[in-house]
Amino acid sequence: LPPYAPKSSAMLSAALREHQQKQAASKRDLEQKRVEAATAAKAVADTLVDSLNVGVAQVFATQKQLEGEVKQLHNAIGRFSKTSQQWISMVDSFNQALKEIGDVENWSERIEADMRTIALALEYAHNGAPSTESH
């Protein structure tokens, strides 16, 4: 072996150790960065899930509120329908009463005309001729 061989071997060993140390440090750095990236990804995922959960909770609460309002509206419509039917019935009864009043008025006018005819007939029978003073 040449005289520089022990020096070369020591230098080569030193270079190999330095390379291995750099490689180990690089692996540690890479592993640390991988852990940091995974932690950051988990934090982002957790934040997204939390924000989605808040949105879902708001939608659920709104849905419950709407269901309650729909039920109240349904009940109000039922009451309104019942009241409307009562009003319609009352108006129909009122219209029937007006028709009956009209019938009574017509009947009374006919009776009045008949009574005039009878009165005139009685006056004619009693006096012989109708007087022009009563008209």
Side-chain angles (χ1 to χ4, degrees):
L1 285 173
Y4 56 86
K7 272 189 172 178
S8 304
S9 175
M11 283 178 44
L12 192 55
S13 289
L16 180 63
R17 261 183 290 165
E18 183 181 337
H19 172 72
Q20 288 174 340
Q21 287 173 352
K22 284 181 181 180
Q23 195 173 25
S26 184
K27 279 184 181 180
R28 281 191 306 270
D29 286 346
L30 184 62
E31 181 61 23
Q32 182 180 357
K33 290 186 190 293
R34 188 191 65 77
V35 167
E36 288 173 1
T39 302
K42 184 181 181 320
V44 167
D46 288 346
T47 302
L48 287 174
V49 167
D50 288 346
S51 69
L52 285 175
N53 284 341
V54 167
V56 168
Q58 287 174 342
V59 167
F60 183 74
T62 303
Q63 179 183 0
K64 284 293 185 184
Q65 181 182 3
L66 286 175
E67 286 173 357
E69 289 177 10
V70 165
K71 188 175 182 180
Q72 288 176 350
L73 184 59
H74 180 72
N75 291 338
I77 288 171
R79 288 189 309 271
F80 177 74
S81 177
K82 186 176 180 179
T83 302
S84 296
Q85 288 301 321
Q86 289 172 342
W87 288 353
I88 289 169
S89 177
M90 288 172 48
V91 168
D92 286 344
S93 296
F94 182 69
N95 282 340
Q96 185 61 33
L98 285 177
K99 286 179 186 178
E100 289 173 5
I101 289 172
D103 290 345
V104 168
E105 184 179 9
N106 185 34
W107 173 79
S108 68
E109 288 172 359
R110 285 194 327 228
I111 293 290
E112 185 179 355
D114 289 345
M115 295 305 273
R116 279 193 199 119
T117 303
I118 291 171
L120 285 174
L122 287 174
E123 187 178 331
Y124 181 77
H126 183 52
N127 294 335
S131 68
T132 54
E133 297 172 7
S134 63
H135 291 304

